[in-house]
Amino acid sequence: MSNFNVAKFGGTSVANFEAMSRCAAIIESNPNTKLVVSSACSGVTNLLVELANGVQDQARRSQILQQLADIHDSILNQLKEPSEAANQVYGILDTVTSLAEAASIQASTKLTDHLVACGELMSTHILTQLMKERGINATRFDIRDVLKTDSTFGKGEPELETIAGLAQQSLVPLCNEFVVVTQGFIGSDEEGNTTTLGRGGSDYSAALIAEAVQASGLEIWTDVPGIYTTDPRIAPKASPIPEISFSEASEMANFGAKILHPSTLVPALRHDIPVFVGSSKEPEKGGTWIRHKVGSSPLFRALALRCNQTMVTLRSAKMFHAYGFLAKVFEILAKHKVSVDLITTSEISVSLTLDQTDTAGGAPQLPEAARLELEELCTVEVEHNLCLVALIGNNMSESKGYAKQVFGTLEDFNLRMICYGASPHNLCFLVHESVSKLAIQKLHKELFEE
């Protein structure tokens, strides 16, 4: 295992000159930090995704391009020697302009990945120059030379052995000499095409890189000081969690805690790399350590909320005492690359939620071709505007009485698709998005505040 640390900074942590300067100060404070993984500047990815979806209105396209230029110019203008970084950024903006024009004619997942990757490419040029001006021996590295994936654009699957070999060959020697600044979220396939790891994939790529270089630790710097019992913006009395297990944190990430990408912890867990989550705005407040083993395992650890949920309900009398119905359903979904998240069944129906796995935003959709095939088997009902509430804890299946406490608190809510039993760490259900925050507030008050 290497004795150096990997630090990842999210979009709000590199939003402007002041934010980047705070990042540099955090890096300076830990001599073991030798590898820095940066997201795009805050707001940039959303603008790039809009362009990638195809903006045919020339005026709107020009407006977005100007916004992108303004975001980066505001930081470049505060550098002492901006010329080299500026030339690189403007060159990438020229590429964005060309790709946006192409997307306005015909969008594609391949083009989308190429376009949205430009955010990270630009931010790392600027962050590297800012660090150099502070006296840090920094160098920029294009992670696409190491982080190899398959050609699934929008959600590339990492080639772990290849990544490990390339990292040991080129990244580790560089880290022994410099503080290396590189990009999160992006990679490339064997043909050199730019790929992405899916929306929110910066954390995941940082963990993959930490695994590949066999780092001693991974720091995730974001805009909140660690992991809380729930989102403090929803429940103001939410409290920070000093230490949490990998399994608990994985459940929280999977069920909507925006502080971590769901896949982040998998590489860290494989190599038992401790993960620290803290605020780049307030590093003095400490944060949360995620470890394999922790000192306490409370019955209730946290609440998570994930909105933009799509529920599909399939009904057919043919299901009753029949063999193979579910197998046919999942064969159709697999054929159309539809990822299923949660599932509940009855004698003649099955309800499932669709998983959002790619770079596109919004609620996941059931492809029309998949729907048509499913309708040959059964009736298909699709519902939107739902949110998933997840209660995360420990040994819940072995504890008496807690379900009464949970559902008693929610007696005035219409709960949909309750899922429990597959994991000892969670109980989850769907509610309409209009009451989702109220449900979190009531549960948090009952379970965590009293």
Side-chain angles (χ1 to χ4, degrees):
M1 181 172 281
S2 306
N3 62 354
F4 59 76
N5 183 62
V6 175
K8 181 264 174 179
F9 295 93
T12 54
S13 297
V14 292
N16 51 44
F17 183 83
E18 292 74 19
M20 282 195 179
S21 298
R22 287 193 293 266
C23 293
I26 289 169
I27 295 161
E28 287 170 325
S29 70
N30 186 352
N32 289 330
T33 298
K34 294 293 186 181
L35 186 51
V36 176
V37 180
S38 176
S39 296
C41 299
S42 182
V44 167
T45 301
N46 287 338
L47 293 171
L48 293 170
V49 167
E50 185 177 346
L51 290 174
N53 288 336
V55 178
Q56 295 181 348
D57 179 25
Q58 174 69 50
R60 175 57 185 157
R61 205 158 68 238
S62 298
Q63 183 185 27
I64 295 171
L65 291 166
Q66 188 59 52
Q67 283 179 268
L68 290 168
D70 291 345
I71 289 169
H72 296 94
D73 275 340
S74 70
I75 312 174
L76 287 165
N77 291 338
Q78 295 185 70
L79 293 174
K80 295 172 186 173
E81 298 177 11
S83 56
E84 185 180 342
N87 288 338
Q88 297 291 345
V89 168
Y90 297 153
I92 295 168
L93 284 171
D94 288 342
T95 300
V96 170
T97 303
S98 301
L99 293 172
E101 289 175 6
S104 71
I105 300 167
Q106 184 172 8
S108 71
T109 54
K110 182 177 179 180
L111 193 152
T112 295
D113 275 5
H114 198 165
L115 235 175
V116 299
C118 291
E120 277 73 11
L121 297 176
M122 289 187 285
S123 69
T124 48
H125 277 294
I126 298 173
L127 180 59
T128 304
Q129 179 60 26
L130 184 147
M131 288 167 61
K132 286 179 178 177
E133 292 183 4
R134 290 177 65 105
I136 300 171
N137 186 25
T139 188
R140 182 182 178 274
F141 182 83
D142 192 328
I143 201 61
R144 292 175 295 182
D145 294 338
V146 163
L147 211 153
K148 296 297 178 179
T149 73
D150 65 8
S151 299
T152 306
F153 299 106
K155 196 178 189 307
E157 186 65 31
E159 308 282 358
L160 298 180
E161 287 188 16
T162 303
I163 293 169
L166 291 170
Q168 292 298 321
Q169 180 183 320
S170 57
L171 254 187
V172 171
L174 211 56
C175 290
N176 288 326
E177 190 176 348
F178 298 95
V179 177
V180 179
V181 180
T182 194
Q183 305 80 29
F185 178 55
I186 68 175
S188 68
D189 65 11
E190 62 179 10
E191 295 178 4
N193 298 307
T194 298
T195 58
T196 65
L197 298 178
R199 195 60 185 247
S202 290
D203 291 343
Y204 183 31
S205 58
L208 287 167
I209 295 162
E211 177 185 39
V213 300
Q214 299 178 2
S216 58
L218 170 63
E219 296 174 1
I220 306 287
W221 293 97
T222 178
D223 56 355
V224 292
I227 299 173
Y228 278 63
T229 48
T230 197
D231 188 337
R233 292 168 295 188
I234 299 175
K237 290 187 178 179
S239 55
I241 303 170
E243 189 179 55
I244 189 171
S245 69
F246 275 122
S247 53
E248 292 170 316
S250 294
E251 296 278 2
M252 286 188 70
N254 189 53
F255 288 116
K258 293 179 180 177
I259 198 163
L260 286 175
H261 184 268
S263 303
T264 298
L265 299 172
V266 176
L269 181 59
R270 281 195 294 255
H271 283 75
D272 202 15
I273 300 171
V275 179
F276 175 81
V277 180
S279 167
S280 60
K281 292 180 180 178
E282 303 172 296
E284 71 281 356
K285 286 193 173 182
T288 302
W289 278 103
I290 306 168
R291 294 188 173 97
H292 190 66
K293 291 183 179 180
V294 293
S296 65
S297 301
L299 178 62
F300 302 132
R301 178 68 88 180
L303 287 162
L305 180 66
R306 187 173 73 198
C307 289
N308 277 331
Q309 297 299 283
T310 300
M311 183 170 77
V312 178
T313 301
L314 312 172
R315 292 188 177 88
S316 173
K318 295 176 184 176
M319 279 182 68
F320 191 71
H321 289 170
Y323 297 99
F325 180 84
L326 280 178
K328 291 178 183 175
V329 166
F330 280 96
E331 183 182 337
I332 293 169
L333 294 174
K335 175 182 172 183
H336 295 280
K337 293 183 167 55
V338 177
S339 178
V340 172
D341 188 22
L342 303 177
I343 181 168
T344 60
T345 63
S346 70
E347 287 291 356
I348 62 166
S349 67
V350 54
S351 291
L352 48 88
T353 59
L354 306 184
D355 204 5
Q356 180 67 278
T357 60
D358 59 17
T359 303
Q365 302 294 320
L366 181 67
E368 187 61 26
R371 181 171 188 148
L372 291 173
E373 277 198 59
L374 288 169
E375 285 177 343
E376 293 178 12
L377 280 181
C378 52
T379 62
V380 180
E381 180 184 353
V382 180
E383 294 180 63
H384 297 289
N385 303 317
L386 297 169
C387 291
L388 176 71
V389 175
L391 173 61
I392 314 299
N394 293 279
N395 302 316
M396 292 160 73
S397 59
E398 300 171 16
S399 303
K400 297 177 181 178
Y402 88 91
K404 179 181 178 181
Q405 188 179 8
V406 171
F407 294 120
T409 304
L410 299 170
E411 61 182 351
D412 295 328
F413 292 82
N414 180 24
L415 307 185
R416 309 290 306 279
M417 198 178 162
I418 299 168
C419 293
Y420 170 68
S423 166
H425 293 291
N426 76 68
L427 163 68
C428 49
F429 50 85
L430 295 174
V431 293
H432 193 272
E433 66 178 7
S434 61
V435 297
S436 60
K437 291 183 180 178
L438 182 59
I440 289 285
Q441 288 163 359
K442 283 185 170 290
L443 272 178
H444 193 273
K445 184 176 181 182
E446 172 67 24
L447 304 179
F448 296 93
E449 297 175 30
E450 295 182 355

